[in-house]
Amino acid sequence: MITMNSHSNDIDYSNGYMEPEEEWEREGLLDPAWEKQQKKTFTAWCNSHLRKAGTAIENIEEDFRNGLKLMLLLEVISGETLPKPDRGKMRFHKIANVNKALDFIASKGVKLVSIGAEEIVDGNLKMTLGMIWTIILRFAIQDISVEEMTAKEGLLLWCQRKTAPYKNVNVQNFHLSFKDGLAFCALIHRHRPDLIDYHKLSKDNPLQNLNTAFDVAEKYLDIPRMLDPEDMTNTAMPDERAIMTYVSSYYHCFSGAQKAETAANRICKVLKVNQENERLMEEYERLASDLLEWIRRTLPWLQSRQADNSLSGVQKRLEEYRTYRRKHKPPRVEQKAKLETNFNTLQTKLRLSNRPAYMPTEGKMVSDISNAWKGLEQSEKSFEDWLLSEMMRLERLEHLAQKFKAKADTHEDWTRGKEEMLQSSDFRQCKLNDLKALKKKHEAFESDLAAHQDRVEQIAAIAHELNTLEYHDSTSVNIRCQRICDQWDRLGNLTQKRRTDLDDAEKILEKIDILHLEFAKRAAPFNNWLDGTREDLVDMFIVHTVEEIQGLIDAHGQFKATLSDADKEYNSIIGLVKDVESTVQKYQIPGGLQNPYTTLTSTDLSKKWSEVKLLVPQRDTTLQAELRKQQNNEMLRRQFAEKANQVGPWIERQMDAVTAIGMGMHGSLEDQLNQLNQYEQNVFAYKPHIEELEKIHQAVQEGMIFENRYTHYTMETLRVGWEQLLTSINRNVNEVENQILTRDSKGITQEQLNEFRASFNHFDKNRTGRLAPEEFKSCLVSIGYSIGKDRQGEIDFQRILAVVDPNSTGYVHFDAFLDFMTRESTDTDTAEQVIDSFRILAGDKPYILSDELRRELPPDQAEYCIQRMAPYKGVNAVPGALDYMSFSTALYGESDL
């Protein structure tokens, strides 16, 4: 068995035909059929070369015995001159010539074991056949290389690829697979379809197939018959070495076609790259247009500040905004990340294939999308701030409107009938005592009127504030306020006029009942105090903290402490009424129980005093309920803060870890990619914490809680951090994938990549992912890149800097550094290489035809070229000629997109 030494070009024949005879017998090589086939094939093969020197052999074991034709054969097939042969006819002359031939074979890296010149001189057929086989292996088969396989495997793979499209052909070995002749016919038809009509052949006619192939090969391809069709069909297993020898002649005959296939493969590879790049460009344009259009449609909604000026309307808009953040925006965040990933992948592929960088259409650059996205987020922030401020303003408005209504209702109740009373002329028919009573009553009314001045001013002030805050129903408020003010002015005028009338009649009046007067004087302010107290006890309030409600509770406690003094005043006033009753009863004064100075009665005061005493505990209940609400709000603040203080640092730690991985500090690129994917899984697994926080935040907003002293995190900052974390993971995954793509496509090793990353990180002190020019120069020097310290060295460095920083940003990023180092250390395809490949397919013509493209390339890629190649305009152009040179140059130039 012949084996290839993986560390040299030597061939080890220690187990080949040169073994002792018993070894041959053990391997079964003494099979007469095999020996016959080898003898015939090796003889024909030798003669196919010896005829170039004008000679031939007839008997292989006899004609090489003197060594002369053996030396001549080696000179013909090697193209070299062997030492001058000995011309004597003695045995030692023959041995000397054969030894010269064997020495020449050994000089070509062939190790001959157990073979000597004596066996050849003696005509030993087995040894002679073994020697010829070593020559065939070395000079006809060894140089065959397909995908770095051994010679035998390479030749077999070549046969398999060439015959793959053919029906009834399945090449698996060099004996049974060729027995029916179809494999030989397929090889000829694949390269010269004009010589054989393969479709007319049948697997059932092996003898006819073999004769057809051998005749055509000998007549048209100059390949002599080396096999006998009858031997092959009559032998159970034809000899492998004989068939390999004959098939190698086919391989060398069609080596020109092999070059064409290699050229076609190179072109296919380049075209696939171009087609994929165009697809990525179209996808980028589509995604960018869709995202920008969505932002354009969304911005007017976020920038709108129109509302119906009602609390329910603003709450509805806030709920719409929450729906937008939960449902509509997240898919767009993913779309933006995918867009940036596709753009980076495309630029990497363009760099790796020597194509110019992709420039999106105007307005669709990554920077344009980032600016539009930034504008969207700014609009979101201002929109949410506006909504919350509107809720606070409208809540304040609703509170003021209800307060206005309550005070206006109280005032209008008090003024009801007052104008008619002031316009009355009842005093003109009164007795003296009644007249005096009317005057005192009017004095009491004036006191009461003055006491109500403060309420009217409060009503006007509330109406003014409602107008300032643009209350939606300010028109009706203004109308009612104006009506109250106008009535108040009329009451003042009527009061003054009645006082004048009473003063004019005072001369006819005598004294006034002291007790009635005292009651009226003390009952009126007490009654006002009762009314004010009742208003205060039912007054609505709005607070936002526990401290504020505690302040109201404390103030209410202080008020309750004054009730004992009020109770004394109440008993004192009621005592006046009792004195009047006892006096009237004692002296039987007609109408004496009627108090001429006031309409207030002890019953009124008692009723109001009872109401006040009932309202006090009700106020306690209301304040305590609000205290519990504020305590619940405080609990919500603490819940949000506790969760936010966990989520915020977690996001920051993940960001730091992802950034560290992105610096290439965690093993191989595959390790980094696995770690990033694991982090991505962890982040998605952590999402329930964000959703839980969103629920707490919603409860916080519904509770109208606008500040939180327990944490510096806000829901907005956590949302932005979460989105930045997802974007950072996607960006780093994309960068690592691009580095893997760069490493694999450029053939750099993981060790080289680690060296590049370690050097870059060493000079990236601040872990920013970029180097300043001087840091970059030091980095290049550290990995062995020679940059002189003279003027020429500075010129060379500026040239490099223009490549890695084409936009003159003042910094060099790792991707640009890696791309530069891989281009410095690896080879890439160029336009010139593609032109050379097309020239091979075109048979050295300056143009190529559609039929030639369809014959050599896959259908889709052939049509791709035909549609894009311009007509050839050069000299000797034929109809349908296509210009492959301009097409190849365009592949590395500007894209249509």
Side-chain angles (χ1 to χ4, degrees):
M1 182 70 80
I2 300 171
T3 59
M4 294 292 292
N5 188 322
S6 61
H7 301 291
S8 71
N9 292 325
D10 295 345
I11 303 179
D12 185 0
Y13 295 90
S14 59
N15 293 321
Y17 279 97
M18 307 312 175
E19 288 293 327
E21 186 168 315
E22 60 272 14
E23 184 70 17
W24 285 70
E25 292 176 350
R26 186 170 68 247
E27 294 189 6
L29 297 181
L30 291 179
D31 187 313
W34 287 8
E35 185 176 282
K36 178 182 177 182
Q37 291 174 13
Q38 289 178 15
K39 181 176 179 181
K40 184 179 295 185
T41 301
F42 292 176
T43 299
W45 183 85
C46 292
N47 286 335
S48 70
H49 293 285
L50 287 173
R51 66 182 178 178
K52 299 173 185 176
T55 186
I57 62 171
E58 296 181 359
N59 192 325
I60 194 168
E61 69 266 33
E62 293 294 333
D63 293 350
F64 286 138
R65 291 179 65 181
N66 60 9
L68 296 177
K69 287 190 178 181
L70 180 60
M71 294 179 68
L72 180 62
L73 174 65
L74 291 173
E75 287 184 341
V76 171
I77 62 178
S78 68
E80 301 179 24
T81 301
L82 272 68
K84 188 175 181 180
D86 292 356
R87 289 298 178 181
K89 296 184 179 180
M90 302 297 289
R91 176 178 172 81
F92 70 89
H93 292 120
K94 297 178 182 179
I95 292 175
N97 290 334
V98 174
N99 274 325
K100 290 177 182 179
L102 296 179
D103 290 342
F104 178 79
I105 295 172
S107 71
K108 296 304 178 181
V110 179
K111 296 180 180 180
L112 301 175
V113 181
S114 300
I115 187 170
E118 291 79 0
E119 287 86 350
I120 306 302
V121 173
D122 292 340
N124 187 315
L125 178 59
K126 301 178 185 64
M127 292 299 178
T128 301
L129 291 176
M131 177 187 68
I132 297 302
W133 174 241
T134 65
I135 294 173
I136 293 171
L137 277 178
R138 173 59 182 85
F139 294 100
I141 298 178
Q142 179 182 336
D143 292 336
I144 297 175
S145 177
V146 179
E147 296 187 356
E148 300 182 358
M149 292 184 170
T150 65
K152 178 180 177 180
E153 292 172 336
L155 184 60
L156 186 64
L157 179 59
W158 178 80
C159 293
Q160 291 171 340
R161 287 183 173 177
K162 294 300 181 180
T163 61
Y166 291 89
K167 184 179 179 182
N168 295 327
V169 177
N170 182 18
V171 176
Q172 298 296 327
N173 50 57
F174 283 112
H175 36 78
L176 296 179
S177 297
F178 286 84
K179 189 174 181 180
D180 59 9
L182 289 179
F184 292 114
C185 293
L187 288 175
I188 296 173
H189 183 270
R190 178 63 183 268
H191 297 91
R192 291 291 303 276
D194 55 310
L195 298 180
I196 291 180
D197 188 352
Y198 182 84
H199 302 292
K200 291 184 178 180
L201 301 178
S202 172
K203 190 175 182 67
D204 298 330
N205 297 317
L207 198 60
Q208 179 183 339
N209 298 338
L210 290 168
N211 278 313
T212 298
F214 297 166
D215 289 344
V216 169
E218 186 171 39
K219 182 177 180 181
Y220 296 102
L221 304 178
D222 197 27
I223 300 175
R225 276 180 174 253
M226 299 184 188
L227 299 172
D228 186 272
E230 287 76 9
D231 289 345
M232 291 193 65
T233 56
N234 295 331
T235 304
M237 182 179 290
D239 180 61
E240 181 180 60
R241 291 166 180 77
I243 294 177
M244 282 181 65
T245 301
Y246 186 51
V247 171
S248 69
S249 299
Y250 281 68
Y251 177 88
H252 292 296
C253 175
F254 296 132
S255 59
Q258 185 68 26
K259 293 181 181 178
E261 182 179 356
T262 302
N265 289 338
R266 176 184 289 275
I267 292 171
C268 288
K269 176 183 176 183
V270 172
L271 293 180
K272 284 181 180 177
V273 170
N274 222 55
Q275 289 170 315
E276 176 63 13
N277 290 343
E278 289 181 3
R279 185 190 67 77
L280 288 176
M281 292 177 193
E282 292 171 356
E283 183 177 6
Y284 175 85
E285 292 284 332
R286 179 180 60 77
L287 288 175
S289 299
D290 182 62
L291 183 58
L292 289 173
E293 174 62 19
W294 177 78
I295 293 175
R296 185 191 66 77
R297 294 196 311 269
T298 305
L299 280 177
W301 176 70
L302 291 174
Q303 293 168 351
S304 172
R305 298 296 182 266
Q306 295 180 353
D308 59 2
N309 214 17
S310 67
L311 186 60
S312 61
V314 175
Q315 288 173 337
K316 180 180 179 182
R317 293 202 68 178
L318 180 60
E319 186 58 35
E320 291 173 352
Y321 177 70
R322 289 171 179 156
T323 301
Y324 157 80
R325 287 306 303 258
R326 289 195 305 266
K327 296 183 179 179
H328 301 301
K329 188 183 178 185
R332 298 297 178 173
V333 174
E334 296 177 5
Q335 183 178 2
K336 176 175 176 290
K338 181 180 180 182
L339 191 68
E340 294 172 350
T341 297
N342 287 359
F343 182 81
N344 293 335
T345 300
L346 174 60
Q347 298 294 39
T348 299
K349 288 187 174 183
L350 289 173
R351 287 200 310 271
L352 296 179
S353 57
N354 272 355
R355 271 63 166 186
Y358 164 58
M359 291 294 293
T361 55
E362 184 177 357
K364 296 179 183 177
M365 297 286 290
V366 172
S367 58
D368 296 326
I369 294 170
S370 296
N371 291 335
W373 190 264
K374 183 177 180 181
L376 177 74
E377 292 183 331
Q378 290 173 347
S379 297
E380 287 177 0
K381 180 65 171 65
S382 62
F383 184 61
E384 186 173 20
D385 291 344
W386 174 75
L387 285 174
L388 295 177
S389 64
E390 274 294 284
M391 287 188 66
M392 294 178 65
R393 183 180 71 84
L394 293 173
E395 184 186 33
R396 171 68 176 163
L397 279 177
E398 290 295 328
H399 171 70
L400 287 175
Q402 293 178 27
K403 192 169 185 177
F404 174 84
K405 181 179 182 302
K407 287 188 176 294
D409 288 345
T410 301
H411 177 75
E412 287 173 349
D413 287 342
W414 178 82
T415 60
R416 190 173 292 111
K418 293 296 190 292
E419 288 187 69
E420 292 77 5
M421 182 270 291
L422 291 173
Q423 292 172 342
S424 174
S425 302
D426 55 348
F427 64 91
R428 298 188 185 278
Q429 282 78 34
C430 288
K431 296 179 181 180
L432 185 60
N433 289 338
D434 295 334
L435 183 60
K436 289 182 179 292
L438 285 177
K439 186 176 181 181
K440 295 300 180 181
K441 179 181 179 181
H442 188 69
E443 289 176 359
F445 173 76
E446 286 181 322
S447 176
D448 198 9
L449 185 69
H452 278 79
Q453 176 71 30
D454 182 57
R455 180 181 289 112
V456 174
E457 291 175 353
Q458 289 178 7
I459 291 172
I462 293 172
H464 177 72
E465 188 172 0
L466 286 171
N467 278 280
T468 302
L469 295 178
E470 300 178 355
Y471 180 57
H472 69 94
D473 196 19
S474 58
T475 301
S476 62
V477 170
N478 292 336
I479 291 173
R480 190 173 188 184
C481 180
Q482 188 62 47
R483 184 170 66 246
I484 290 173
C485 291
D486 292 343
Q487 185 189 41
W488 185 255
D489 292 339
R490 289 196 304 274
L491 288 175
N493 294 332
L494 290 173
T495 300
Q496 185 63 36
K497 182 178 180 302
R498 184 172 178 82
R499 179 178 181 82
T500 301
D501 292 341
L502 290 174
D503 286 342
D504 292 341
E506 187 176 11
K507 292 179 181 180
I508 62 173
L509 301 178
E510 291 185 350
K511 68 177 181 179
I512 298 172
D513 190 333
I514 298 304
L515 292 175
H516 279 316
L517 180 59
E518 180 70 13
F519 174 85
K521 287 183 178 180
R522 294 176 65 179
F526 187 70
N527 181 67
N528 276 330
W529 177 84
L530 288 173
D531 289 340
T533 298
R534 287 191 303 165
E535 290 179 12
D536 291 340
L537 289 174
V538 298
D539 187 25
M540 290 166 288
F541 54 85
I542 179 171
V543 294
H544 295 289
T545 65
V546 173
E547 290 77 8
E548 291 177 357
I549 188 60
Q550 189 62 51
L552 292 179
I553 293 174
D554 293 343
H556 184 61
Q558 294 172 2
F559 162 74
K560 290 192 293 183
T562 65
L563 289 179
S564 61
D565 293 335
D567 187 59
K568 292 178 182 178
E569 177 67 11
Y570 167 74
N571 291 326
S572 176
I573 293 173
I574 295 302
L576 292 175
V577 175
K578 291 179 179 179
D579 288 344
V580 170
E581 291 175 348
S582 63
T583 302
V584 170
Q585 184 178 2
K586 180 178 180 179
Y587 296 103
Q588 296 295 312
I589 299 174
L593 294 178
Q594 299 296 323
N595 192 324
Y597 307 114
T598 181
T599 59
L600 290 174
T601 65
S602 59
T603 303
D604 295 333
L605 295 179
S606 298
K607 180 180 179 182
K608 291 182 180 180
W609 178 244
S610 299
E611 290 178 0
V612 167
K613 289 192 290 184
L614 288 174
L615 288 174
V616 169
Q618 293 177 6
R619 185 71 166 181
D620 285 330
T621 302
T622 302
L623 291 174
Q624 289 301 319
E626 182 64 27
L627 176 61
R628 288 192 295 274
K629 175 185 174 183
Q630 292 303 323
Q631 288 172 340
N632 182 66
N633 288 352
E634 190 74 359
M635 179 189 69
L636 286 176
R637 289 189 184 95
R638 293 179 183 274
Q639 285 181 349
F640 180 84
E642 180 181 1
K643 193 67 179 178
N645 290 336
Q646 295 174 0
V647 172
W650 185 88
I651 292 176
E652 293 163 2
R653 289 196 301 273
Q654 304 309 302
M655 283 291 292
D656 293 340
V658 170
T659 301
I661 295 174
M663 296 299 294
M665 299 158 58
H666 295 265
S668 67
L669 290 178
E670 284 73 11
D671 293 337
Q672 296 172 31
L673 189 59
N674 290 335
Q675 292 177 24
L676 287 171
N677 289 332
Q678 184 61 47
Y679 272 103
E680 185 176 29
Q681 294 176 8
N682 293 342
V683 168
F684 283 117
Y686 198 76
K687 191 173 182 181
H689 294 278
I690 298 294
E691 295 172 347
E692 180 184 352
L693 200 57
E694 286 281 8
K695 292 178 181 178
I696 299 175
H697 177 64
Q698 181 171 346
V700 167
Q701 286 192 328
E702 290 171 352
M704 306 300 292
I705 303 171
F706 302 106
E707 78 289 328
N708 195 334
R709 61 180 178 273
Y710 300 112
T711 181
H712 66 278
Y713 293 104
T714 66
M715 196 64 234
E716 180 62 28
T717 60
L718 293 175
R719 288 174 187 149
V720 172
W722 179 259
E723 293 171 0
Q724 288 177 346
L725 176 59
L726 290 175
T727 301
S728 177
I729 291 175
N730 287 329
R731 183 176 64 251
N732 279 283
V733 166
N734 178 245
E735 290 177 357
V736 173
E737 288 175 342
N738 286 341
Q739 291 174 25
I740 292 175
L741 183 63
T742 300
R743 181 195 67 191
D744 295 342
S745 63
K746 295 299 184 179
I748 62 175
T749 65
Q750 183 66 44
E751 290 71 19
Q752 287 177 301
L753 192 63
N754 291 342
E755 181 184 0
F756 295 156
R757 171 58 82 178
S759 300
F760 188 92
N761 287 351
H762 177 75
F763 293 97
D764 182 14
K765 304 296 185 184
N766 297 327
R767 295 295 182 261
T768 60
R770 62 187 188 182
L771 299 179
E774 288 303 316
E775 294 172 333
F776 175 59
K777 181 187 287 186
S778 301
C779 182
L780 289 178
V781 173
S782 73
I783 59 177
Y785 202 93
S786 177
I787 299 178
K789 296 184 178 180
D790 54 4
R791 183 173 178 273
Q792 184 59 44
E794 183 59 28
I795 293 174
D796 293 341
F797 178 68
Q798 292 302 322
R799 174 184 58 79
I800 296 172
L801 205 58
V803 172
V804 297
D805 184 21
N807 297 324
S808 301
T809 62
Y811 293 99
V812 179
H813 294 268
F814 180 72
D815 284 348
F817 167 71
L818 178 61
D819 184 55
F820 171 75
M821 293 307 301
T822 54
R823 279 191 281 110
E824 289 292 310
S825 58
T826 59
D827 187 22
T828 58
D829 60 276
T830 64
E832 290 75 15
Q833 291 174 329
V834 176
I835 290 173
D836 289 342
S837 298
F838 274 117
R839 185 179 291 114
I840 292 173
L841 299 187
D844 289 331
K845 299 191 300 295
Y847 59 83
I848 195 167
L849 301 177
S850 300
D851 290 342
E852 293 171 331
L853 288 170
R854 292 190 175 102
R855 183 179 70 240
E856 300 294 345
L857 299 179
D860 60 330
Q861 295 191 343
E863 296 305 319
Y864 180 85
C865 294
I866 293 170
Q867 292 175 8
R868 287 166 172 75
M869 282 187 181
Y872 178 72
K873 303 295 186 181
V875 181
N876 300 325
V878 301
L882 299 174
D883 185 355
Y884 61 78
M885 294 187 184
S886 63
F887 172 77
S888 301
T889 303
L891 289 177
Y892 294 86
E894 293 295 331
S895 168
D896 293 340
L897 290 176

